[in-house]
Amino acid sequence: MQTLTSRDVQKNFGQVADMVAAGQSVRVTKYGRPAFLIIPESEDSDEILRRVAGRRLTGLLKNAKATPAAKALSPADVQQLIDSCFA
C-alpha cells in the first residue's frame, strides 16, 4: 500500500486515481497522521463498508445509554439499518 500526503493527492489526483483503478490502495496522511484510505472498487467493496459500519455502530452502542427503543432492536433490525445505508 502506497502512503501519500493529502497535498500530494491533491496535486496528482489523476495519477492517484489511475493507481487505485489499477488495484492499488492508497493511505492518505494529514499533518503526518493517517487520515483515510482510498481503495479500489471491487466485488468486496460493499462488504468492507458494511463491516466498517458495523464496527462503528458497535462502538457507538457500547458507549451509549440504552433507551427503551434501543433495547427493543433485534440483530435483524440493526442489520436492516446498516443495509439501508447502502441502498
Side-chain angles (χ1 to χ4, degrees), residues 17-40:
D18 290 342
M19 287 171 31
V20 174
Q24 186 173 358
S25 297
V26 177
R27 174 173 281 123
V28 182
T29 62
K30 284 187 89 168
Y31 307 108
R33 295 185 173 173
F36 57 92
L37 296 173
I38 305 174
I39 61 171

Side-chain angles (χ1 to χ4, degrees), residues 72-87:
L73 289 173
S74 70
D77 294 329
V78 174
Q79 186 62 50
Q80 186 177 1
L81 288 169
I82 293 170
D83 290 343
S84 70
C85 294
F86 298 96

Side-chain angles (χ1 to χ4, degrees), residues 42-62:
S42 71
E43 293 177 11
D44 299 326
S45 296
D46 285 343
E47 180 62 26
I48 291 167
L49 293 174
R50 286 174 200 240
R51 288 176 185 257
V52 169
R55 286 185 188 143
R56 287 185 178 173
L57 182 57
T58 299
L60 289 171
L61 291 174
K62 283 182 180 178

